[in-house]
Amino acid sequence: MSTINWIQPGPAAGRRTSGSKDGLAFLVRNYKSGTPAKRENQGVITVYPATMKTLRWQIGDRVMIGFSPDRRDVFIKRVPVGGYALSALGGDKGGKKKGSFCSASIKTNKTQFAVTAEIKPTDYIVMDDGTVMFSLPEAA
């Protein structure tokens, strides 16, 4: 198997909401983040509730994101410390959703995605060590 290039989180950015899409496991896309004077692209992976439950992930869990050398394969692995927090969608800053299986997002300004991709439950695999892997489609 080829090398996985893991990325490290940076400072937190603003929150965005995303509506639930039936039949999807993940949604991969970019957002513009920051203040109007300093806008930058931010890669966002949305994890939908059924996937959260299947993977036994909860709001507040920490994950690392990695890429294959060609950046088409995305890897997500739950870790005990470090990494990115699975954040609840909908702006719940009070933490009432912590520990629940609602929609979550993983946001990073350390990477941007070449394409927006809707990943279905049949399009990802879970490896023996719990790492989730899916492939992004070719950029148009």
Side-chain angles (χ1 to χ4, degrees), residues 58-62 86 88 92 94-102:
Q58 298 179 359
I59 299 300
D61 284 350
R62 310 293 295 189
L86 289 171
D92 180 16
K96 290 179 263 181
K97 294 182 180 175
K98 189 168 185 159
S100 72
F101 294 116
C102 64

Side-chain angles (χ1 to χ4, degrees), residues 38-106:
K38 186 184 172 192
R39 292 267 184 223
E40 60 182 71
N41 280 334
Q42 180 179 46
V44 179
I45 301 173
T46 301
V47 186
Y48 290 103
T51 307
M52 293 280 287
K53 192 168 189 171
T54 299
L55 296 173
R56 298 179 141 199
W57 291 354
Q58 298 179 359
I59 299 300
D61 284 350
R62 310 293 295 189
V63 296
M64 292 292 293
I65 303 169
F67 297 95
S68 61
D70 67 1
R71 299 190 59 83
R72 287 214 39 231
D73 296 328
V74 178
F75 299 85
I76 306 172
K77 180 178 182 176
R78 189 165 65 175
V79 293
V81 292
Y84 298 88
L86 289 171
S87 303
L89 296 182
D92 180 16
K93 293 185 182 201
K96 290 179 263 181
K97 294 182 180 175
K98 189 168 185 159
S100 72
F101 294 116
C102 64
S103 291
S105 67
I106 307 162

Side-chain angles (χ1 to χ4, degrees), residues 21 23-27 46-49 51-52 119-122 124:
K21 294 196 176 194
L24 291 183
F26 300 95
L27 178 62
T46 301
V47 186
Y48 290 103
T51 307
M52 293 280 287
I119 310 300
K120 296 178 181 170
T122 56
Y124 75 89

